[in-house]
Amino acid sequence: MTTAHADGLKQPPPAPPGTPHGPRAAAVSGARHGRHDRGGRRSAQLAAWGFLTPVAAYLGAFYAYPLYRNVDLSVRHYTVRSFVQGGAPFSGWDNFQQVLHDPTFGTALRNTMVFTLVSIVFQYLIGLALAVFFNRSFRLAPTLRALFLIPWLLPLIVSASTWSWMLNSESGVVNYALRFIGMGKVDWLTSPSWALTSVIIANVWIGIPFNLVILHSGLQNIPAELYEAAALDGAGGWQQFRRITFPLLRPVSAITVLLGLIYTLKVFDLIWIMTKGGPGDSSSTLATWSYRLGFGSLLPEFGPGAAVGNILILIALAFGLLYIRAQRRQVA
């Protein structure tokens, strides 16, 4: 009896004839595993491309191609005929020079900056105040928070039409309330002094729910233990907000302001429905001016309109790059 049998150990069954042994067996096994790994990687790559293809097709059809067409429109001299049939001559930077030297450009740029910055400041401040208020637990908090979402959920055409009716000089409810408390009538939509203010008020009302939702979500991620520890140390409500809430909410605030900024830069339908950029150019922005150049007359100026649109895209891109740079500095 051998030692293995004596110890109660079982010998492995003999290998079939022709089976390689030693280093050759290891090489064959490694080759099989290599083919298996390559096949698995290939399947994973095909699956990844399968998921990526619809997204790439969507981005190409609805983002890349329209952007290309807009750039092409801005560097060619298009008429209605050449827009339909093609063959528009190349004009280089002529369309950009035309809009930059147009007197409307300065007014539209200034109105765009005022409209955007004032809207963003009030939307953020009011949204933050409401988010802090609803961060407290009380019975009607979910119901009231849902009611505040109504302006955000309504179609913009409904919101703009409602504000146009409310701010009507003769029959609007706002002027009725002003007369009730002894104040005079205000030409909200027909006065050059009030038209831009009117569309800013409407836009702030529409944007508050977005800021409320995002900032309230950010507040939910702040640990309650920090507030409890601050209260034990004698910190009041304002000190807790200044030392805990606002610093920890900074990343959420940054993305909220950036998204609101990009959205507000391109607001068109609200202004167009309420004032059409008027009276005169008192409430014209780059978005409304671009539309008026391209589609607002019997002889549309496609090239200058597209040039204004590209300028607006560059402004939004610049703000996006500034945000990315600020985020990198915070991480570093």
Side-chain angles (χ1 to χ4, degrees):
M1 180 180 293
T2 62
T3 305
H5 285 286
D7 294 339
L9 300 177
K10 294 183 179 180
Q11 293 290 341
T19 303
H21 297 276
R24 184 182 176 189
V28 172
S29 177
R32 290 176 179 173
H33 283 292
R35 287 195 298 269
H36 179 73
D37 292 342
R38 286 195 296 271
R41 287 196 298 268
R42 189 178 298 109
S43 299
Q45 290 176 354
L46 291 176
W49 280 109
F51 284 109
L52 185 61
T53 299
V55 178
Y58 172 80
L59 293 176
F62 295 99
Y63 287 89
Y65 179 72
L67 181 61
Y68 160 76
R69 285 291 296 156
N70 200 61
V71 173
D72 181 70
L73 283 170
S74 65
V75 295
R76 294 182 182 275
H77 180 67
Y78 273 94
T79 61
V80 176
R81 182 174 182 177
S82 60
F83 184 80
V84 176
Q85 298 180 356
F90 182 79
S91 60
W93 299 103
D94 292 348
N95 292 321
F96 288 92
Q97 292 179 358
Q98 177 181 337
V99 298
L100 290 175
H101 290 89
D102 194 304
T104 308
F105 176 75
T107 303
L109 181 61
R110 183 178 65 252
N111 289 343
T112 301
M113 294 296 103
V114 172
F115 176 80
T116 302
L117 295 179
V118 175
S119 296
I120 290 299
V121 168
F122 280 95
Q123 287 174 358
Y124 177 78
L125 292 179
I126 299 175
L128 178 60
L130 291 174
V132 173
F133 174 75
F134 285 118
N135 198 39
R136 303 175 180 178
S137 297
F138 58 95
R139 182 176 298 177
L140 293 178
T143 303
L144 294 177
R145 195 164 62 244
L147 291 176
F148 271 100
L149 293 179
I150 292 177
W152 192 32
L153 300 176
L154 288 175
L156 276 176
I157 188 172
V158 175
S159 300
S161 300
T162 302
W163 276 101
S164 297
W165 170 75
M166 292 174 59
L167 297 176
N168 185 277
S169 300
E170 303 300 330
S171 58
V173 65
V174 175
N175 274 346
Y176 177 80
L178 292 177
R179 287 194 296 267
F180 183 78
I181 61 176
M183 299 181 63
K185 181 183 72 173
V186 177
D187 296 324
W188 294 99
L189 303 177
T190 57
S191 170
S193 303
W194 287 100
L196 185 61
T197 302
S198 302
V199 295
I200 289 176
I201 292 173
N203 190 62
V204 169
W205 180 78
I206 292 172
I208 287 174
F210 172 78
N211 287 261
L212 167 61
V213 170
I214 303 300
L215 295 174
H216 184 266
S217 300
L219 289 175
Q220 300 299 305
N221 294 324
I222 300 178
E225 292 81 4
L226 296 178
Y227 294 104
E228 295 173 359
L232 292 176
D233 290 338
W238 171 247
Q239 290 178 324
Q240 292 180 19
F241 175 81
R242 190 164 59 92
R243 300 290 185 179
I244 300 175
T245 304
F246 191 73
L248 295 181
L249 204 61
R250 192 171 298 164
V252 179
S253 298
I255 191 63
T256 304
V257 171
L258 175 66
L259 293 176
L261 184 67
I262 295 175
Y263 169 79
T264 308
L265 276 174
K266 62 184 183 63
V267 167
F268 159 76
D269 35 15
L270 176 71
I271 301 174
W272 191 259
I273 292 171
M274 292 183 65
T275 65
K276 289 185 170 58
D281 292 321
S282 59
S283 61
S284 288
T285 61
L286 293 176
T288 59
W289 187 35
S290 175
Y291 178 84
R292 192 166 70 235
L293 286 172
F295 304 100
S297 64
L298 295 176
L299 295 175
E301 300 180 77
F302 296 114
V308 175
N310 286 328
I311 293 174
L312 192 58
I313 292 174
L314 291 176
I315 294 175
L317 180 62
F319 281 111
L321 293 177
L322 288 176
Y323 168 77
I324 294 174
R325 183 176 181 181
Q327 288 295 101
R328 288 180 177 176
R329 285 185 176 181
Q330 288 182 0
V331 173

